[in-house]
Amino acid sequence: EEVKYAINEGADEIDMVISRGRLLEGDDNYVFHEIAAVREVCNKVLLKVILETGELRNPGLIRKASEIAIAAGADFIKTSTGKFQPAATEEAVGVMMEVIRQHYEKTGNTVGIKPAGGITTPEQAMQYYHLTERILGETWLKKDLFRIGASRLADALARKIQ
């Protein structure tokens, strides 16, 4: 109902956080169906699925969460809300990108990536840019497939420009 309300109010993107507790309990089915239900309500509205990788920590769980989110219809997978630390890490983002790359090679369908949380300097942002370029290629280096969630980074960039 919240997603329907947001879309009716004009939202053109929806962010949802996976049920990490259910994933950690091994209830992959629940996580898949929850994402798929939101995907269905979203219709053509962009769906970003937040994995909260800082809480999952384990690369195997991050891989599993990425695979489930993509299979359920995520347009983007995102590392974090920024509320758990560590938020975005190169290791977590690398795992997520590998899953995206494998999905693309298998299906020809693209899924976006959004490292978010704890990215506060232009240098950190460039590390994620280069990681994306290396693992996913230049095709992903556009806003439709690659974004960085970092409000503190925007402030740092504004200070550098001034």
Side-chain angles (χ1 to χ4, degrees), residues 16-36 47-80 92 95-100 103 111-113:
M16 73 169 288
V17 183
I18 66 164
S19 295
R20 284 111 40 229
R22 294 302 270 273
L23 184 72
L24 291 167
E25 292 168 3
D27 197 350
D28 303 358
N29 225 13
Y30 180 90
V31 176
F32 174 86
H33 288 293
E34 184 177 43
I35 298 167
L47 175 61
K48 294 187 301 246
V49 177
I50 303 167
L51 308 182
E52 211 63 89
T53 57
E55 190 174 3
L56 297 179
R57 297 181 190 263
N58 178 302
L61 276 175
I62 294 168
R63 173 174 294 283
K64 182 188 286 191
S66 299
E67 291 169 345
I68 291 169
I70 290 169
D75 296 306
F76 262 79
I77 53 177
K78 181 176 170 181
T79 54
S80 175
V95 169
M96 294 164 68
M97 287 181 182
E98 285 295 329
V99 173
I100 289 171
H103 174 74
V111 173
I113 183 79

Side-chain angles (χ1 to χ4, degrees), residues 125-135 141 146:
M126 287 307 297
Q127 289 175 314
Y128 288 105
Y129 176 91
H130 291 301
L131 186 66
T132 304
E133 184 177 43
R134 189 172 73 245
I135 295 174
L141 297 177
F146 175 66

